[in-house]
Amino acid sequence: STLVGAVAATDPDNGQMLSYSIVSGNTSGAFAINPSTGAITVSNSTAIDFEITPSYILTVKVEDNGTSPLSNQADVTITVLDMNEQPQVSNQSFAINENAPNTTLVGTVTATDPDNGQMLSYSIVSGNTSGAFAINAATGAITVSNSTAIDYETTPSYDLTVKVEDNGSTPQSTTATVTITVNDVNEAPVMNDQDFSVVEFSANGTSIGTPVSSDPDNGQFHTYAILSGNGSGAFTINPSTGELTVSDSTLLDSSVNPVFTLTVSVTDNGAGNLSDQALITIYVVEAPNLAPVIASQNFTI
């Protein structure tokens, strides 16, 4: 409905009415003409595109209403002015494995511009928690910027708002949501070196303690084992809980073996069964001094 202009025509005969019509050149029905006034208006705005059709040459007919109607035709040239248009970018999705190192390529944002020859620049507007990602301003390539933030257990996905801006005389921009899914990767459990103590000659089955371990992956099960340092089998470890107990009390003699240094492993049940090891030091403590025991006795001589 935007007015383009009104075709001017005259008739030598006084008092006659003129009617207007477009005979040819109206590609895609871009324009309409008022048959009574000759006013040309936009009829199909999508066809008014400088990059596709920079100008139209319409053949317009004007006809009178005489007893034997007469008509004439003229070319009406409509020039389409080039205007800077917004770049176009759609929502996009990528995926990256957790703990991916810095500079790892996540994906490249795709955008276009209806204006030929313009340069586009890219930036992350929001959603980039802990500076996890960086974007190349010239290419739109997204890379890992802070590998410690790429953690499935903490943030399983990011929704980045990415802005694309052109370099037109009056720069235009638009935004899109770029969803980055963090893939869960099995990570090794962690167990640090720890110390325990046990009173010498403690009975078999006596609990010494349970080594503490952790796992970045939620909900995994762990298996424990003594790899070395257990000599003749003084101790036993529960494979499911990691609890250490006395297995052979006769070996717990502080004067002979005051210290045991066990190498204990913890293994997860994730893909690849990852594990960690730690030194578990068990100190054999001398039994506290107890009062001697004597019972009533009888002798004869």
Side-chain angles (χ1 to χ4, degrees), residues 19 24 38 42 84 96 98 117 175 192 222 247 268-269 291 298:
S19 61
S24 65
V42 173
N84 189 26
I96 186 73
E98 66 176 334
T175 61
N192 297 320
H222 297 139
S247 179
D268 66 23
N269 67 331
N298 296 313

Side-chain angles (χ1 to χ4, degrees), residues 96-121:
I96 186 73
N97 289 340
E98 66 176 334
N99 306 319
N102 290 345
T103 72
T104 299
L105 178 65
V106 179
T108 301
V109 176
T110 302
T112 58
D113 196 306
D115 303 302
N116 296 328
Q118 288 196 353
M119 303 292 289
L120 301 178
S121 61

